[in-house]
Amino acid sequence: MALPTIAALTPSDWDVEIHDARTTPVDYGKKVDLVGITSYTADITNACKIADGFRSRGVKVVMGGVHVSALPDEALQHADSVVVGEAEAVWKRLLRDCEKGELKKIYKADTLIEMSGMAIPRRDLLDSSMYSSFYSVQATRGCPFNCEFCTVTAFFGQEFRVRPVEDVIEEIKGLNSKEFFFIDDNITGRAGFAKSLFKKLIPLNLKWGGQTTLNFAKDEELLSLYARSGGRYAFIGFETLSDENLRKISKSWNSPDGYREAIKRIHGVGINIVGSFIFGLDGDGPDVFERTFNFIMENKIDAAQFHILTPFPGTKLYDDMVKDGRISDSDWSKYHTGEVVFKPAKMTVRELQEGYWWIFHKTYEMKNILRRSLRSPRGIVYRIGTNLSYRKKARKMSHVVL
Ligand code: SF4
């Protein structure tokens, strides 16, 4: 929702269009005064080419987002200006400078933005059929934790910020949809806030999903409110089954000893779990894939996302890997968590890559999908649907036998 939010903050004497270069070709001939570009790390090379294309035609270009904020000098080779950090606080100033022909090289907010009265994203500028996350809402920013591999705290700062509950509820009502997604990185990051929000959601009778840490299962009231307010699924970062790995990535508040019990409690209130797992952490050997697969099946984790450890710029992991000379590939297009771009500690690059493909295929074999999805009649349609979409992704990957 970054671009629709920026669009909402743009004064009405500017006409705004949002274009997704991942799905439609760029029209370089379009008469525009300013092009703003944001991109994931994996798409940044293409984003820079687009910036070059517009600038070669005399159009001013500004770039921003998580990757650009981490490496502003790289973006400045392709853009007139870069925005470092949250764009909301500097956007109007940047536009005024643009109107005067006085764009500065770097725009960086001195403070984090105020969460009260936040702009409502201009969803009208998006094609709802193109985005599964179209009906998404942000209630908080940041995360109270700071896991080494994660860009969230690096970008949003250590402070976990929340919007007024009433603002969030009003935005949700305005979606006119029976289902939505909280795009927050950790919707239960502040239990008191989450409880107030969930209580206000109950009368709306909606269904929703969000991202959370496993910690929310320790708080009975929070867990119950999550479910009663319509929370049907939760994306949860388990990351690894190893205490040693968790310690190394500064996530030791997650405890594998408590995983089984937490999963039972979450399933018990009717919430489906999409678990996230990372491979290639320094404690991982070639046996990690089979152990993780067995864990997923034994605990009937409803669906799982797998990631190869990826050192994204801006994270401590990236800085450490650069310092230790462990980055083996600097081609940003490979930084999508599905390819190995560093030297693993306890397995070869090939073992890591093939193990990742193996677990993806194995988890989404039909018989394994059914074994997990049939754990309860409640929510079975959601589980099968989600699994089939991951299966589609798995089928595009190389098939390997470990
Ligand atoms: S808990 Fe999740 S969102 Fe928060 S820092 Fe860790 S990985 Fe990032």
Side-chain angles (χ1 to χ4, degrees):
M1 283 294 135
L3 289 179
T5 303
I6 294 302
L9 288 167
T10 304
S12 57
D13 52 342
W14 284 76
D15 290 326
V16 187
E17 282 181 22
I18 295 179
H19 180 89
D20 191 339
R22 296 169 304 181
T23 54
T24 32
V26 177
D27 177 4
Y28 290 102
K30 203 165 179 86
K31 294 274 171 260
V32 289
D33 300 296
L34 180 69
V35 172
I37 303 177
T38 189
S39 158
Y40 293 117
T41 297
D43 293 324
I44 198 72
T45 307
N46 195 31
C48 290
K49 277 190 198 139
I50 294 169
D52 292 342
F54 277 109
R55 285 181 88 204
S56 69
R57 290 163 176 83
V59 178
K60 296 287 181 202
V61 172
V62 55
M63 295 180 78
V66 175
H67 179 95
V68 166
S69 296
L71 299 174
D73 290 340
E74 176 191 78
L76 274 174
Q77 292 170 31
H78 306 273
D80 297 282
S81 294
V82 298
V83 174
V84 174
E86 293 175 315
E88 285 107 315
V90 298
W91 186 240
K92 285 186 180 156
R93 175 154 56 94
L94 185 151
L95 291 181
R96 278 198 304 274
D97 289 350
C98 181
E99 285 166 354
K100 289 187 277 177
E102 294 174 3
L103 272 178
K104 317 241 175 340
K105 286 226 171 286
I106 294 195
Y107 288 85
K108 185 171 190 294
D110 302 326
T111 52
L112 296 170
I113 66 140
E114 178 54 52
M115 298 292 283
S116 170
M118 258 174 69
I120 306 295
R122 291 265 323 261
R123 295 182 179 83
D124 59 299
L125 297 175
L126 299 177
D127 177 353
S128 61
S129 64
M130 300 284 286
Y131 302 98
S132 57
S133 58
F134 182 79
Y135 294 107
S136 56
V137 172
Q138 185 171 46
T140 67
R141 281 214 178 153
C143 176
F145 303 110
N146 192 7
C147 307
E148 273 191 11
F149 60 88
C150 177
T151 55
V152 169
T153 303
F155 185 74
F156 288 117
Q158 196 83 52
E159 196 185 324
F160 184 67
R161 289 165 289 157
V162 301
R163 292 173 70 189
V165 168
E166 288 309 332
D167 285 8
V168 183
I169 294 292
E170 281 313 303
E171 186 175 340
I172 291 168
K173 284 182 184 167
L175 292 176
N176 285 323
S177 170
K178 292 305 271 177
E179 295 187 22
F180 70 96
F181 183 68
F182 278 119
I183 45 171
D184 307 62
D185 295 296
N186 183 358
I187 187 64
T188 61
R190 190 178 295 166
F193 169 80
K195 286 176 191 175
S196 309
L197 176 62
F198 298 165
K199 279 179 193 159
K200 295 269 184 198
L201 269 176
I202 292 173
L204 302 188
N205 200 19
L206 304 174
K207 289 183 188 160
W208 59 272
Q211 303 182 89
T212 170
T213 65
L214 211 52
N215 284 352
F216 87 124
K218 293 180 189 156
D219 183 330
E220 209 169 303
E221 186 191 9
L222 181 60
L223 185 61
S224 160
L225 282 168
Y226 192 114
R228 281 164 46 215
S229 64
R232 290 290 175 270
Y233 56 99
F235 285 85
I236 299 175
F238 292 86
E239 323 304 6
T240 170
L241 306 180
S242 148
D243 278 314
E244 182 200 339
N245 277 340
L246 287 167
R247 242 191 333 275
K248 279 199 175 151
I249 57 173
S250 307
K251 199 163 184 170
S252 50
W253 43 267
N254 232 13
S255 164
D257 285 346
Y259 284 175
R260 282 173 207 277
E261 184 53 33
I263 292 165
K264 256 194 227 150
R265 290 164 63 98
I266 296 167
H267 279 163
V269 294
I271 300 171
N272 294 297
I273 298 172
V274 183
S276 176
F277 297 88
I278 299 175
F279 300 111
L281 294 161
D282 281 355
D284 288 345
D287 62 334
V288 67
F289 305 103
E290 196 164 350
R291 275 193 295 110
T292 307
F293 170 73
N294 290 339
F295 171 81
I296 289 167
M297 294 308 295
E298 281 162 25
N299 291 283
K300 304 232 174 351
I301 292 187
D302 303 294
Q305 294 183 334
F306 303 112
H307 307 278
I308 291 174
L309 182 69
T310 302
F312 286 105
T315 61
K316 180 170 184 305
L317 179 71
Y318 177 80
D319 293 342
D320 287 350
M321 284 207 175
V322 169
K323 184 162 58 73
D324 298 341
R326 290 182 67 189
I327 305 268
S328 57
D329 202 324
S330 300
D331 176 353
W332 295 133
S333 69
K334 295 180 179 167
Y335 283 60
H336 49 72
T337 79
E339 280 186 83
V340 186
V341 295
F342 72 101
K343 296 172 195 152
K346 289 192 180 160
M347 56 183 138
T348 64
V349 167
R350 187 170 174 175
E351 282 169 332
L352 177 51
Q353 184 67 66
E354 293 191 345
Y356 165 82
W357 286 330
W358 177 84
I359 195 167
F360 235 117
H361 276 284
K362 191 85 182 154
T363 304
Y364 294 106
E365 282 176 2
M366 261 335 269
K367 64 173 193 265
N368 292 328
I369 290 179
L370 291 175
R371 270 176 63 200
R372 295 192 308 275
S373 298
L374 296 178
R375 68 174 172 79
S376 150
R378 187 158 59 156
I380 192 166
V381 175
Y382 166 78
R383 283 196 291 282
I384 300 262
T386 304
N387 273 277
L388 290 181
S389 69
Y390 281 114
R391 180 176 159 85
K392 219 188 219 174
K393 180 174 176 183
R395 285 164 72 98
K396 289 185 189 144
M397 295 176 187
S398 305
H399 212 138
V400 288
V401 180
L402 285 192

